[in-house]
Amino acid sequence: MMSVTPTRGCLLDLPWEDILVPHILCHLPLQQLLSLQRVSKSFQSLIQLYLANMRCFDSSQIGPAIPRAAFVNLLKDNEVLQQLALQNCSDWLTDQELLPVIGQNHHLHRIQLKGCAQLSRHALVAISLSCPSLRQLSLAHCEWVDSLSLRSLADHCKALEAVDLTACRQLKDEAICYLVQKCSRLKSLSLAVNANVGDVAVEETAKCCPELEHLDLTGCLRVKNDSIRVLAEYCPKLRSLKVKHCHNVAESSLSILRSRGVELDVEPPLQRALVLLQDVVGFAPFINLQI
């Protein structure tokens, strides 16, 4: 009687598009996938197929210092990206590398460009024209963002729900007002670290964005109590507000939001005084904070 020796299957024998790409390779870190390309020509072809069908790209999985040519090669065949995260890539990312990726991916709904200082306003205009379904965009510490490029974003990406404009210091009240008027679905907005932002922008944001849940005004020195009261009146869904270093915002306006359970990043005056007292003398006297 003949014995049958079972044959050992190869990973590459599995269906690539039905099994390997959507169910196996998607669980491996990008760095490991790139290493697999060096195993054989078959693996190289498999990884290239995966990269062409990848929905999410996050540069942090590889490291901040990606060679420019490598980045271009990774995404040259991809037209189905939905999420693109390139935060803190200022050492190598310019318009020349980014614009082709944006231009061929019209389904992007989340883009992270925090700290990408070498880009220009042309990058934001390209995003505006190519990504009509964009919902989340981070431009934190991108000082190249100006009012004209932000207007383009507002005109073409009206489905936006979250925008981070932290330290975009070229922007003034007028530009922010235009954005919120066009993008009334905003749920999260950061205008932090911008001394040009004042009550006009905050009040217009409150009146135009009733769905607003999170607002960051950290370091917005021109913001005062009046706009905080308008915020409390027009934004019933507000869950968190950051006003640290807003020296013209007092408890008289914050108490309205505090009583509604809105998370604030500043303590009530009495609580703050007790903390300072404890730092100085090493203890705080017992005080009934509910009086």
Side-chain angles (χ1 to χ4, degrees):
M1 185 175 181
M2 296 179 60
S3 62
V4 179
T5 303
T7 58
R8 181 176 296 178
C10 173
L11 177 67
L12 296 175
D13 292 336
L14 295 172
W16 287 14
E17 294 190 20
D18 295 332
I19 301 296
L20 291 181
V21 170
H23 298 295
I24 296 179
L25 297 186
C26 62
H27 297 291
L28 296 178
L30 190 55
Q31 186 69 56
Q32 292 185 11
L33 289 174
L34 299 181
S35 299
L36 277 176
Q37 289 189 109
R38 297 192 290 268
V39 173
S40 67
K41 289 185 178 180
S42 295
F43 269 104
Q44 183 179 21
S45 298
L46 173 62
I47 301 307
Q48 288 177 347
L49 176 65
Y50 172 79
L51 293 173
N53 290 276
M54 185 168 51
R55 299 298 195 271
C56 305
F57 179 86
D58 187 347
S59 62
S60 66
Q61 293 186 9
I62 304 175
I66 306 175
R68 294 178 178 179
F71 172 75
V72 172
N73 186 61
L74 285 174
L75 296 179
K76 62 182 176 63
D77 297 321
N78 193 305
E79 298 180 358
V80 294
L81 274 180
Q82 296 179 0
Q83 299 183 41
L84 178 64
L86 297 170
Q87 61 270 22
N88 300 316
C89 295
S90 59
D91 290 340
W92 60 271
L93 184 67
T94 68
D95 291 355
Q96 184 176 354
E97 291 77 42
L98 180 63
L99 265 57
V101 176
I102 296 297
Q104 67 191 32
N105 283 281
H106 304 291
H107 305 289
L108 281 162
H109 59 76
R110 183 177 181 179
I111 300 177
Q112 164 68 269
L113 296 175
K114 177 182 177 181
C116 293
Q118 289 196 59
L119 298 175
S120 76
R121 59 184 302 272
H122 299 295
L124 186 52
V125 172
I127 290 171
S128 305
L129 298 177
S130 297
C131 308
S133 301
L134 191 65
R135 296 200 302 270
Q136 299 181 38
L137 176 63
S138 175
L139 298 169
H141 302 281
C142 294
E143 297 196 28
W144 45 266
V145 177
D146 60 10
S147 59
L148 289 177
S149 57
L150 193 70
R151 288 174 74 92
S152 178
L153 179 73
D155 285 335
H156 296 94
C157 300
K158 298 181 180 179
L160 279 167
E161 296 179 354
V163 180
D164 188 347
L165 298 173
T166 299
C168 293
R169 295 185 177 91
Q170 290 194 58
L171 301 177
K172 299 181 180 180
D173 282 349
E174 182 182 1
I176 303 302
C177 289
Y178 192 87
L179 173 69
V180 298
Q181 289 165 3
K182 296 287 187 175
C183 303
S184 58
R185 301 181 190 177
L186 281 174
K187 296 181 179 180
S188 178
L189 177 64
S190 176
L191 304 173
V193 199
N194 189 343
N196 294 317
V197 171
D199 284 344
V200 173
V202 176
E203 291 181 14
E204 193 68 13
T205 298
K207 294 175 181 178
C208 294
C209 303
E211 302 297 316
L212 192 67
E213 297 179 3
H214 306 283
L215 181 61
D216 190 347
L217 300 173
T218 303
C220 294
L221 304 178
R222 293 176 55 228
V223 173
K224 301 176 183 177
N225 287 322
D226 289 344
S227 61
I228 302 301
R229 294 190 181 97
V230 173
L231 194 66
E233 180 181 356
Y234 284 89
C235 297
K237 297 184 180 181
L238 193 67
R239 294 168 52 193
S240 70
L241 173 66
K242 295 183 178 181
V243 289
K244 190 172 288 186
H245 307 303
C246 295
H247 304 305
N248 294 313
V249 174
E251 184 62 22
S252 58
S253 60
L254 293 175
S255 60
I256 305 170
L257 294 168
R258 203 184 298 279
S259 66
R260 281 178 17 197
V262 175
E263 180 183 345
L264 302 172
D265 64 342
V266 292
E267 297 289 345
L270 181 55
Q271 183 67 42
R272 192 158 57 245
L274 287 175
V275 171
L276 291 173
L277 180 61
Q278 188 170 15
D279 289 341
V280 173
V281 301
F283 72 93
F286 174 78
I287 297 177
N288 186 352
L289 297 179
Q290 296 182 345
I291 294 178

